[in-house]
Amino acid sequence: MIDEDGAPPASRRPHILRLAVFAAFLLAVFYLVAVARVVDVEEVRRTVSATGSAAPVTYVVLSAALGAVFVPGSILAAGSGLLFGPLLGVAVTLGATVGTAMVAGLIGRRAGRNSARALLGPARADRIDALIERRGLWAVVGQRFVPGISDALASYAFGAFGVPLWQMAIGSFIGSVPRAFAYTALGASIANRSSWLAYSAVAVWCLTAIVGAVAARRGYRKWRAGRSEASEPEGR
């Protein structure tokens, strides 16, 4: 088969292979960190504490890197609360969250952007680029509210689809505020033995989960309705 300019179309096999290798790498990292538990979070906290006044900055950098390799953000945020308390801890958690989004987004963009565009085709890729330009920031914000989705995995996907890093940074910061407070306050409540912090954390987490579930449901229904409308002319 030959395209309009007389050149044979490029094979998709290298792009499929590249994305498969990238997916396998992420799966292997996820297994090592989330299942095999090769990272000792307690040891990380001890290492950070030993850095003295530089501990907050050290924890931001380490947490950003650990989050990108699928160490659960809830554990890292709780550790921030244990080490730094509810106020400074939330700032540290948000800094680490933005860092994880930037690292994962950049890796996803470098590893999968060209292959994703090649598999989608120029027309679809251009439509997605236009959609990202209009709504990419709010897509990142919305993902942070949806329960059960790995922020790191979503950031890799956003990067592969070409979401700009500035949208990743701002969107992850805005969307992560409620959960950052919830998990950090929960960790701080353990350190300070504060029941009101624990209750506040649980309340914010529940509210965030409800808002995210409702928004995801509405988004799914809107997407289904759009697909149905798009397919109507073909069936007539």
Side-chain angles (χ1 to χ4, degrees):
M1 183 176 178
I2 299 177
D3 57 18
E4 293 180 357
D5 60 4
S11 172
R12 293 186 173 186
R13 187 174 299 173
H15 299 293
I16 295 174
L17 181 60
R18 183 175 181 179
L19 290 177
V21 169
F22 183 48
F25 168 76
L26 294 180
L27 184 61
V29 171
F30 177 80
Y31 172 80
L32 290 173
V33 173
V35 180
R37 310 245 176 164
V38 297
V39 177
D40 187 345
V41 179
E42 290 294 332
E43 182 61 30
V44 171
R45 284 201 286 265
R46 286 192 291 269
T47 302
V48 170
S49 297
T51 62
S53 59
V57 176
T58 304
Y59 199 77
V60 167
V61 174
L62 287 178
S63 291
L66 292 173
V69 294
F70 301 108
V71 173
S74 56
I75 295 176
L76 296 172
S80 178
L82 279 169
L83 287 172
F84 309 114
L87 296 180
L88 179 57
V90 169
V92 170
T93 297
L94 286 173
T97 299
V98 172
T100 293
M102 298 285 285
V103 171
L106 182 60
I107 293 174
R109 190 180 188 91
R110 292 289 179 86
R113 171 69 169 153
N114 292 335
S115 294
R117 286 186 63 88
L119 293 178
L120 288 170
R124 285 184 180 177
D126 289 343
R127 284 198 298 269
I128 289 177
D129 286 345
L131 185 62
I132 288 172
E133 186 176 352
R134 295 195 308 270
R135 302 177 183 174
L137 172 63
W138 299 111
V140 177
V141 173
Q143 176 272 315
R144 299 293 164 140
F145 278 85
V146 179
I149 298 179
S150 167
D151 292 341
L153 185 60
S155 296
Y156 283 117
F158 283 135
F161 279 104
V163 176
L165 291 181
W166 71 267
Q167 291 186 356
M168 298 281 293
I170 297 175
S172 62
F173 180 86
I174 295 173
S176 297
V177 169
R179 280 194 295 171
F181 169 79
Y183 292 127
T184 305
L186 194 59
S189 71
I190 296 173
N192 301 330
R193 298 183 180 179
S194 173
S195 58
W196 74 266
L197 266 178
Y199 293 143
S200 299
V202 172
V204 170
W205 186 90
C206 290
L207 181 61
T208 303
I210 292 171
V211 171
V214 171
R217 185 166 178 251
R218 287 185 177 179
Y220 177 73
R221 292 175 66 181
K222 186 176 180 180
W223 175 74
R224 287 289 301 272
R227 287 197 62 184
S228 299
E229 291 175 3
S231 62
E232 275 184 7
E234 296 178 3
R236 289 178 182 175

